[in-house]
Amino acid sequence: MKRICFVLIGIFASSCAMVQSIVKSTFPYTAVMVIPASARVGESHTALSTANSFDQDFTKDGNNAGRVGEVRVISAKLQSKDPSDYNIGNITSIKVYMAKADGSEEVMVASRNDITPNVGDGIVLDIDNSNFLDALVREPSVRLRMVYVLRKAANVDVSLKVSLGLGAYPHN
């Protein structure tokens, strides 16, 4: 209920830079990446998905970032979605890139090269916050690309949820 109230306040005060930066910093960008059962062990593979943020649903043009700046990744997580108990330790390394919907202006935002074999169904990724994402979050949608290497193949297609937390500051 508190989030709904917060979103409504954000909608009505969307011209305020402070509110826009708080809203953009509150709702993560999420995407579901699919690892097909046919993916081979030891080879580099790529998964693509459109990333969405909850706050995009409440704006006219798909974003509310017109008055935010200095946007950077502040957290990155990977969680098993289907099957929910998939061991992410079946993957040896992951790199996550964010880009405009057409793939342009791509930057690496997170990675993990030392995934242990029995890590479980969720991990925190190492963030790369050396790039500002201001232009990307002003887009109606962004694309995430995950590059991964498997340690162990799965019998079924696997869906993983990538969540990227962003930090933003008011920009007039």
Side-chain angles (χ1 to χ4, degrees):
M1 186 66 181
K2 287 182 181 181
R3 279 195 167 183
I4 291 172
C5 291
F6 186 73
V7 170
L8 291 175
I9 290 169
I11 292 168
F12 293 117
S14 63
S15 64
C16 175
M18 179 61 81
V19 171
Q20 286 184 3
S21 65
I22 291 169
V23 169
K24 189 52 69 183
S25 297
T26 301
F27 300 106
Y29 275 82
T30 61
V32 175
M33 301 291 188
V34 177
I35 297 175
S38 61
R40 296 180 187 219
V41 173
E43 296 179 8
S44 182
H45 300 280
T46 299
L48 298 172
S49 183
T50 300
N52 297 304
S53 181
F54 182 73
D55 65 304
Q56 290 175 314
D57 297 335
F58 296 97
T59 57
K60 181 174 64 175
D61 61 355
N63 74 61
N64 68 339
R67 298 181 146 244
V68 298
E70 298 182 26
V71 180
R72 295 180 192 238
V73 172
I74 58 172
S75 68
K77 300 175 188 172
L78 188 66
Q79 183 72 40
S80 299
K81 186 170 170 68
D82 185 31
S84 62
D85 62 346
Y86 176 76
N87 178 22
I88 295 174
N90 293 334
I91 303 169
T92 60
S93 65
I94 293 173
K95 290 182 182 177
V96 178
Y97 299 86
M98 182 184 261
K100 290 184 175 181
D102 65 1
S104 64
E105 298 186 32
E106 184 177 74
V107 294
M108 188 172 79
V109 292
S111 64
R112 187 75 178 264
N113 295 320
D114 59 350
I115 301 173
T116 57
N118 296 315
V119 74
D121 62 2
I123 63 169
V124 174
L125 301 174
D126 300 322
I127 60 169
D128 181 346
N129 62 4
S130 62
N131 296 300
F132 287 118
L133 305 174
D134 302 20
L136 293 176
V137 299
R138 289 186 182 103
E139 294 290 309
S141 65
V142 294
R143 183 183 86 170
L144 293 187
R145 181 171 69 97
M146 182 176 80
V147 177
Y148 61 95
V149 177
L150 289 178
R151 173 180 285 120
K152 181 179 175 185
N155 297 331
V156 297
D157 290 352
V158 174
S159 296
L160 302 174
K161 179 180 175 183
V162 176
S163 298
L164 299 175
L166 302 180
Y169 293 95
H171 178 72
N172 293 321

